[in-house]
Amino acid sequence: MQLEKELAQMQAKQKELGDLIANAQLGREHTEERGNLVEEMTETEALWSGQQEELKQFKECDPVLMHRKKEEAGVAKDAANRWTDNVFIIQSWVRDKFNMDMDEFNKFFGIPAEFDSV
């Protein structure tokens, strides 16, 4: 009983989908004009794809992208300087608290001699 019900539902769905396909194909009969338009559309899409590929080559020179990179570099520089300042604060705290020499501190924590703000 249930299989018959499912079969009826599937047949109804198949008929509905067949009708949708028939309706979708109305106006899509192959004519010379439609063939020319499809060919023109294919050529235009190929041209557009080629131009998009060419545009990707010049993307690095995009002024908006360059401005954004410059801003991001500034943010990164500020963050690096903030961390450097934090290291100097810890150095002076350790120097004052434990009476440690700065060279000894740098050697112990692997801080290079040329360590400074950017």
Side-chain angles (χ1 to χ4, degrees), residues 94-110:
V94 168
R95 182 190 65 219
D96 296 342
K97 183 76 172 173
F98 299 107
N99 198 22
M100 181 184 268
D101 184 42
M102 296 305 283
D103 293 331
E104 188 178 335
F105 178 88
N106 290 343
K107 182 179 174 187
F108 186 74
F109 288 102

Side-chain angles (χ1 to χ4, degrees), residues 63-117:
V64 174
L65 183 64
M66 296 296 282
H67 181 68
R68 190 177 318 138
K69 283 185 178 184
K70 189 178 282 187
E71 286 179 349
E72 290 172 356
V75 169
K77 182 179 177 184
D78 291 342
N81 285 331
R82 194 169 35 252
W83 279 98
T84 304
D85 290 343
N86 289 342
V87 170
F88 289 143
I89 290 169
I90 291 172
Q91 277 181 336
S92 65
W93 182 80
V94 168
R95 182 190 65 219
D96 296 342
K97 183 76 172 173
F98 299 107
N99 198 22
M100 181 184 268
D101 184 42
M102 296 305 283
D103 293 331
E104 188 178 335
F105 178 88
N106 290 343
K107 182 179 174 187
F108 186 74
F109 288 102
I111 299 174
E114 63 273 357
F115 184 75
D116 200 2
S117 296

Side-chain angles (χ1 to χ4, degrees), residues 26-89:
L26 286 177
R28 291 188 175 193
E29 295 83 17
H30 188 68
T31 62
E32 186 176 331
E33 180 185 5
R34 185 172 190 282
N36 290 339
L37 289 173
V38 168
E39 185 178 321
E40 182 181 341
M41 183 181 76
T42 304
E43 290 172 2
T44 304
E45 286 176 344
L47 177 65
W48 185 79
S49 295
Q51 289 175 342
Q52 290 298 316
E53 289 298 319
E54 186 177 343
L55 188 60
K56 285 180 185 177
Q57 294 175 355
F58 298 110
K59 187 172 180 119
E60 293 177 6
C61 299
D62 182 15
V64 174
L65 183 64
M66 296 296 282
H67 181 68
R68 190 177 318 138
K69 283 185 178 184
K70 189 178 282 187
E71 286 179 349
E72 290 172 356
V75 169
K77 182 179 177 184
D78 291 342
N81 285 331
R82 194 169 35 252
W83 279 98
T84 304
D85 290 343
N86 289 342
V87 170
F88 289 143
I89 290 169

